[in-house]
Amino acid sequence: MSCMPCLRARAMRKKNRNLRSSGGDEGGITSGLSSRHPFSIPKRNGFVSVGESCILKTNHFKPSTYCDNIYRYEVFMNYEFLSSGPSHATAISCGVKRAVMRKLCKMYRESHLRGRRPAYDGRNRLYASGPFSFESETFVITLQNEEDSLDYGQTPQRPTTVFSVTITYNAFLTGAIDSEEFIQACNTVLCESPIEGHFRVGRSFYRSSAMFHELGGGLKGCCGFYRSIQRSQMGLSLNIDTSYKAFIKPQLVIDFVAELLCRRISDGPINYIERLKIAKALHGIKVYVTHRGDVRKKYRISGLSSEGASKLSFPVGDHGTQKTVMQYFQEKHGYDIQHFVLPCLQVGNQQRPNYLPMEVCKIAEGQHYREQLNEEQLSALREVTCQRPIEKELAILQTSKLYNADPYTKEFGITFYNKLTTVEGRVLPPPYLKFLDRTGKNDVLVLPKVGKWDMWCKKMVNGGVVNTWACINFAWEVTDAHALNFCDELVLMCNVSGMDFRPEPVLPVAAYDPKSVARSLKKHHKRVMNILGPRRQKLDLLILILPDNNGTLYGDIKRILETDIGVVSQCCLAKHVFMPKKQYFANVALKINVKAGGRNTVLVSALERKLPRIGKIPTIIFGADVSHPHPGEGCSSPSIAAVVASQDWPEITKYAGLVSPQTHREEVINNLFNEETGGMIKEHLISFRRATGCIPGRIIFYRDGVSNGQLNQVLDVELSAIKKACASLDPCYSPRVTFVVVQKRHHTRLFSDNYDVVSTIYGSGNVLPGTVIDKEVCHPTDFDFYLCSHAVTKGVSRPVRYHVLWDENKFTANALQTLTNHLCYTYARCTSSVSVVPPVYYAHLLASRGRLYIKRGHEGSFPVLSENVKGVMFFC
């Protein structure tokens, strides 16, 4: 990659001198490389004071008392089998460890444990409210296995396991809230009681008898609750939230398969595609058999047989006599298999597979469904989770009562006030947005109302140009006449909205078979270029009409067009062709405009150079996210890192995007800087210089998807990469960097303090857009805040947490919160503010798009983005 010509040492030194001499609040650039390593997270330097004050409630509970001292013990567990066969060294699962410790505590509570109720973390830590009667002791616990192998005609192995458990005193923990170990111990105590009678998924608990909702496909949506003790400005706080998950219904496997396939099993044999679907859905699921009446022993499904019970044979007995599964069940159990053509369930390991007919197996209760839900199931689950704020608040309060009556929390002296914490918040004012009037000559300034605006009597502030375009129809039900009329309406809306969109396509609308999508796209593009080639033009836009249920067609189209052919596209579903609505065309026009290089709107404060901290110095804003493979995908499937960066200043509305594959489920982005290729940061800095003519003096890096346990690692690696990328352009180039982690997967919620005051709520009772808090429930020392920047009419709004990990730009609380809130009004795909800052939103879209670039069966290879699409917002 070539370096920027303008980043020569002399020019860069001059630039830095000019910036330093500017002084004032928009102070100059100094070296951002710290002598301290690893980088240290900055402390909070104040609280927000702009906007209107408001009183809010949060789902955090203040402690009334908590333990001052906790005794920590180390647990080492080993085992051996009471069987004729040899023992195999395999890891002990957390579930088995918990079962062993429950039995140990029950047996020795009154003697060795001095009547105490210790809390076990499922790994190697045991916490107690006082000392045991020993410093170190080894116990022998015998546990009857719930899971065993099913060796046909032989004595089952591993029916009983003997565990050797050594418990050793390790440390004495004082009640310091800045101790991560102390927080972990308190959370372990909280976990102990809800495990009884509940199914645990992460930090959430679901009761089997709780209300559930049918999701289809053999699944049910269950209601549960989440709990966690966290550090906050008020000391410890208990965060409680309602939670919902999809579980597999406890039913006969054969009934589950019928629901999964949406047909009766008797309607016909299972084909190859259906067999793959069944195997994927059932993999790892625990079942028990019904023909023996023994419901305690469970078996884990590892696969499906390729043959039915009437043909699948295996050796039986010492002489290895071959028998089919059907014969064996009839002779051994007197059971006649009815569905003998269905594949059998494979249980046990691959070395010694055993087979069970589907009809004699029932799915054990309490198993979380780990695969991705389809659209219908997601829609059904949303219906379950959709609560009004006051309903959710009452449900949380009801759950909080469980803890003060819990014997474990009582023993450790952990109690909480049974009311939601009241916190002072602010409602940040919305920014003014600039549009053009219908003539396209005069400015129109709009102040959004409750986070929303419309395009009535307005035009885009900068309309994009589409001189050459074409349309391909992949939906067989859409006629040429319907497709042509649809395109005419779409082009008309684009022009009315402010674009310069040529009415006639390069070629008439063409219909192609979706089964040969690659050949069709390349063929049509070649026909187009044969016409445009002599004029040295390129195809600006390709419109595609797709079937409503298009499977992998959408992904194939985007992969081919954006990595192979190099054309920006807009896909539309057939249902919108038959039922065209002006609002739909208006929304699509917004997306097409930014793909064509236009701007839909722009912040007035940006044009006036009044955006906090970045108005007077050229600034590039990054958004970064990593998309991981779905559960069930193999280790060969990579994670996809996406980084977008603003390409205009001072407007900050246009973004370019880059994607890069990396190690399976690796969260830290490893291609921000690369000594050989330059990396994504360097490439974005170069493109920013080309697009704006400016060298960015400030960098704001919004990073999505980082958990609290990964903050230091991400900061150390990724901030270092940003610094190296800048220095690789010129050793003297060191812009000031602010690194902000954006967290959406948390359980903090905000509620109005008074639902009767209509002016303080929106919709069904949610807080107003722009509501922000940085007190009470926020971090005691770090610079963080919760911002609800969008309007929610259905359900409960979820604020986004912004956590500053590095800040050389010296943002105040007012400056960073105002900037972040204003940016949320610049998202290109809608006429409302969005819940998360747009560069992060774009990075998320791009990371998901990058996953579509992976061809099935070719996970090891990843295509490169075409240069023709890199500079525009093709991912919108």
Side-chain angles (χ1 to χ4, degrees):
M1 182 182 299
S2 60
C3 190
M4 279 189 256
C6 63
L7 278 179
R8 298 190 181 102
R10 184 179 302 173
M12 196 60 232
R13 293 189 190 101
K14 182 178 180 181
K15 181 75 175 179
N16 284 347
R17 283 198 302 270
N18 292 338
L19 291 172
R20 290 191 192 99
S21 64
S22 63
D25 186 56
E26 298 289 337
I29 295 176
T30 59
S31 175
L33 287 172
S34 173
S35 60
R36 295 170 297 169
H37 190 80
F39 300 103
S40 58
I41 296 176
K43 303 302 180 184
R44 186 185 304 278
N45 61 357
F47 298 95
V48 63
S49 59
V50 297
E52 294 185 9
S53 177
C54 61
I55 302 300
L56 304 168
K57 290 180 290 187
T58 69
N59 57 336
H60 288 249
F61 296 81
K62 290 182 180 179
S64 52
T65 61
Y66 63 87
C67 52
D68 293 328
N69 306 307
I70 295 179
Y71 291 76
R72 185 182 72 192
Y73 289 82
E74 292 284 341
V75 176
F76 177 75
M77 198 176 295
N78 205 348
Y79 67 99
E80 64 178 12
F81 298 115
L82 293 183
S83 65
S84 57
S87 295
H88 299 277
T90 56
I92 308 173
S93 69
C94 287
V96 172
K97 286 183 176 181
R98 290 186 187 278
V100 171
M101 290 304 298
R102 278 197 297 269
K103 188 171 183 179
L104 186 152
C105 292
K106 185 177 181 181
M107 292 173 61
Y108 297 99
R109 173 168 290 132
E110 298 303 325
S111 55
H112 293 68
L113 306 186
R114 289 183 173 173
R116 306 191 188 281
R117 295 177 179 268
Y120 179 53
D121 70 351
R123 294 180 295 275
N124 58 0
R125 292 279 195 274
L126 187 69
Y127 300 102
S129 60
F132 296 151
S133 62
F134 56 86
E135 290 285 326
S136 180
E137 186 73 43
T138 299
F139 303 87
V140 177
I141 303 296
T142 301
L143 198 67
Q144 195 76 12
N145 282 7
E146 290 191 358
E147 297 182 44
D148 61 6
S149 58
L150 195 76
D151 297 310
Y152 291 117
Q154 299 180 19
T155 302
Q157 291 190 0
R158 307 183 184 181
T160 304
T161 309
V162 175
F163 292 87
S164 172
V165 184
T166 300
I167 301 177
T168 305
Y169 173 74
N170 180 265
F172 178 76
L173 306 178
T174 59
I177 66 165
D178 59 346
S179 167
E180 292 297 332
E181 177 72 16
F182 183 75
I183 302 294
Q184 179 183 342
C186 291
N187 275 315
T188 302
V189 173
L190 250 65
C191 283
E192 199 64 35
S193 271
I195 291 176
E196 299 292 341
H198 288 72
F199 306 124
R200 181 178 180 178
V201 180
R203 289 191 174 183
S204 296
F205 298 87
Y206 303 87
R207 186 184 293 274
S208 59
S209 59
M211 290 177 55
F212 68 89
H213 188 83
E214 290 283 349
L215 302 181
L219 305 181
K220 64 177 181 179
C222 287
C223 174
F225 62 90
Y226 165 92
R227 89 297 157 270
S228 175
I229 288 182
Q230 301 173 3
R231 296 170 61 193
S232 69
Q233 294 172 25
M234 57 186 184
L236 294 182
S237 71
L238 173 62
N239 182 205
I240 299 178
D241 192 19
T242 54
S243 183
Y244 303 87
K245 284 288 183 184
F247 284 78
I248 300 178
K249 290 166 60 177
Q251 60 180 337
L252 290 173
V253 171
I254 199 167
D255 294 332
F256 171 82
V257 170
E259 290 190 33
L260 181 69
L261 302 180
C262 299
R263 70 175 181 84
R264 294 178 300 181
I265 297 299
S266 58
D267 287 347
I270 292 176
N271 59 39
Y272 177 74
I273 300 298
E274 291 176 329
R275 184 181 175 278
L276 291 179
K277 186 176 182 179
I278 296 169
K280 185 177 181 181
L282 288 176
H283 183 78
I285 299 300
K286 293 180 181 180
V287 297
Y288 57 84
V289 294
T290 59
H291 66 287
R292 296 190 310 194
D294 187 356
V295 299
R296 184 185 57 80
K297 294 181 180 178
K298 299 174 184 175
Y299 310 99
R300 190 182 297 274
I301 300 173
S302 57
L304 290 183
S305 66
S306 56
E307 297 177 303
S310 60
K311 295 183 178 180
L312 180 63
S313 61
F314 58 92
V316 177
D318 297 334
H319 300 290
T321 305
Q322 289 289 325
K323 288 187 178 181
T324 65
V325 174
M326 188 174 180
Q327 290 173 330
Y328 176 82
F329 269 76
Q330 206 286 323
E331 296 175 6
K332 179 72 175 179
H333 303 292
Y335 183 88
D336 293 323
I337 298 175
Q338 303 298 312
H339 302 278
F340 49 81
V341 296
L342 292 179
C344 294
L345 303 178
Q346 179 178 324
V347 297
N349 55 48
Q350 296 292 335
Q351 289 72 31
R352 301 195 62 164
N354 297 281
Y355 300 97
L356 293 169
M358 288 186 185
E359 63 192 73
V360 303
C361 295
K362 188 172 184 178
I363 296 171
E365 196 171 19
Q367 298 186 77
H368 172 222
Y369 186 69
R370 300 180 182 277
E371 300 295 331
Q372 190 176 23
L373 300 179
N374 59 38
E375 286 300 323
E376 291 78 12
Q377 291 167 337
L378 283 172
S379 178
L381 189 59
R382 291 190 193 104
E383 289 297 322
V384 185
T385 62
C386 187
Q387 292 177 298
R388 295 171 62 238
I390 192 169
E391 294 171 345
K392 190 180 186 75
E393 183 181 336
L394 292 174
I396 290 171
L397 283 170
Q398 189 66 30
T399 302
S400 69
K401 295 177 182 178
L402 299 175
Y403 286 105
N404 288 336
D406 173 63
Y408 284 89
T409 55
K410 275 186 175 181
E411 172 156 335
F412 282 82
I414 303 175
T415 58
F416 294 87
Y417 292 108
N418 190 34
K419 64 177 182 178
L420 277 69
T421 297
T422 301
V423 59
E424 179 189 359
R426 313 289 295 193
V427 180
L428 304 178
Y432 276 94
L433 304 176
K434 179 183 174 182
F435 297 91
L436 298 180
D437 65 5
R438 276 300 193 189
T439 67
K441 298 179 181 179
N442 302 312
D443 294 347
V444 176
L445 304 186
V446 175
L447 184 66
K449 294 182 179 179
V450 202
K452 297 180 182 293
W453 62 95
D454 59 54
M455 295 296 293
W456 181 252
C457 294
K458 305 180 194 70
K459 286 190 175 183
M460 301 156 176
V461 69
N462 295 121
V465 178
V466 177
N467 282 322
T468 58
W469 64 280
C471 177
I472 293 179
N473 177 20
F474 281 118
W476 62 268
E477 66 270 29
V478 176
T479 64
D480 290 346
H482 280 115
L484 182 59
N485 182 68
F486 175 81
C487 290
D488 289 342
E489 291 288 334
L490 181 57
V491 171
L492 177 61
M493 178 58 74
C494 289
N495 283 317
V496 168
S497 300
M499 290 186 65
D500 183 4
F501 204 122
R502 186 170 181 169
E504 301 84 14
V506 177
L507 287 173
V509 176
Y512 287 99
D513 185 354
K515 294 180 181 178
S516 55
V517 58
R519 186 173 60 199
S520 301
L521 291 173
K522 292 177 181 179
K523 177 182 177 181
H524 198 71
H525 183 253
K526 184 177 181 180
R527 291 176 60 197
V528 170
M529 294 311 296
N530 285 338
I531 298 174
L532 298 179
R535 291 182 258 167
R536 295 185 178 180
Q537 289 180 297
K538 65 180 182 65
L539 185 62
D540 293 331
L541 179 69
L542 181 60
I543 298 173
L544 302 110
I545 300 174
L546 310 184
D548 295 336
N549 298 313
N550 54 72
T552 61
L553 179 61
Y554 175 84
D556 292 339
I557 288 172
K558 292 297 185 180
R559 184 189 72 250
I560 296 165
L561 291 178
E562 293 165 3
T563 65
D564 188 358
I565 299 176
V567 173
V568 175
S569 61
Q570 179 61 52
C571 293
C572 306
L573 295 178
K575 64 181 179 182
H576 297 300
V577 176
F578 294 117
M579 294 185 297
K581 296 180 180 179
K582 284 190 176 181
Q583 187 60 54
Y584 171 77
F585 287 126
N587 290 340
V588 175
L590 294 176
K591 298 168 69 174
I592 291 177
N593 186 50
V594 295
K595 291 179 180 180
R599 294 186 184 93
N600 296 333
T601 187
V602 66
L603 296 170
V604 174
S605 56
L607 295 176
E608 295 176 348
R609 307 287 181 91
K610 293 182 179 179
L611 279 178
R613 305 297 295 162
I614 67 174
K616 295 181 173 60
I617 295 180
T619 302
I620 183 171
I621 298 183
F622 287 90
D625 190 19
V626 178
S627 170
H628 297 296
H630 297 302
E633 293 188 33
C635 294
S636 60
S637 182
S639 292
I640 305 297
V643 178
V644 304
S646 57
Q647 298 295 295
D648 56 347
W649 182 85
E651 297 89 349
I652 312 180
T653 57
K654 296 182 179 181
Y655 290 82
L658 297 171
V659 291
S660 176
Q662 56 187 47
T663 307
H664 179 82
R665 304 205 71 80
E666 174 64 42
E667 181 59 42
V668 178
I669 302 176
N670 56 32
N671 195 30
L672 291 180
F673 174 71
N674 187 299
E675 292 185 356
E676 296 181 1
T677 63
M680 293 188 283
I681 297 293
K682 183 176 181 179
E683 188 169 347
H684 276 313
L685 290 171
I686 293 173
S687 62
F688 179 91
R689 171 66 177 88
R690 289 172 179 165
T692 65
C694 301
I695 302 170
R698 298 190 192 276
I699 292 176
I700 301 176
F701 196 90
Y702 286 102
R703 176 65 159 88
D704 189 25
V706 182
S707 65
N708 289 334
Q710 299 170 309
L711 293 179
N712 289 325
Q713 182 187 12
V714 167
L715 176 64
D716 292 345
V717 175
E718 297 184 6
L719 183 57
S720 295
I722 295 171
K723 297 290 187 180
K724 290 176 182 178
C726 295
S728 70
L729 293 168
D730 189 289
C732 298
Y733 179 49
S734 181
R736 290 180 173 181
V737 180
T738 296
F739 195 108
V740 183
V741 163
V742 181
Q743 295 176 316
K744 304 186 295 291
R745 295 182 179 179
H746 61 81
H747 287 267
T748 295
R749 300 293 182 266
L750 305 180
F751 302 96
S752 172
D753 186 55
N754 190 345
Y755 293 102
D756 295 328
V757 182
V758 179
S759 60
T760 64
I761 60 174
Y762 176 73
S764 59
N766 279 295
V767 298
L768 295 171
T771 300
V772 64
I773 61 169
D774 56 8
K775 296 179 180 178
E776 297 294 332
V777 299
C778 293
H779 196 279
T781 58
D782 291 359
F783 185 1
D784 70 334
F785 58 92
Y786 290 93
L787 172 63
C788 183
S789 54
H790 64 307
V792 174
T793 57
K794 196 174 182 181
V796 179
S797 59
R798 173 186 297 181
V800 172
R801 184 189 183 211
Y802 295 88
H803 192 171
V804 181
L805 300 190
W806 188 254
D807 184 26
E808 295 170 334
N809 291 299
K810 305 300 181 184
F811 273 101
T812 63
N814 285 342
L816 185 59
Q817 293 176 32
T818 298
L819 172 64
T820 302
N821 185 55
H822 282 196
L823 289 175
C824 290
Y825 285 79
T826 64
Y827 186 59
R829 296 181 10 145
C830 61
T831 55
S832 64
S833 59
V834 289
S835 62
V836 66
V837 68
V840 162
Y841 216 138
Y842 295 141
H844 178 75
L845 291 175
L846 184 55
S848 299
R849 179 69 60 81
R851 186 149 300 285
L852 299 178
Y853 297 163
I854 304 172
K855 289 183 67 176
R856 186 171 297 175
H858 298 80
E859 287 80 2
S861 61
F862 191 84
V864 179
L865 275 175
S866 169
E867 293 294 330
N868 291 343
V869 303
K870 278 185 179 180
V872 296
M873 299 172 68
F874 66 93
F875 43 81
C876 275

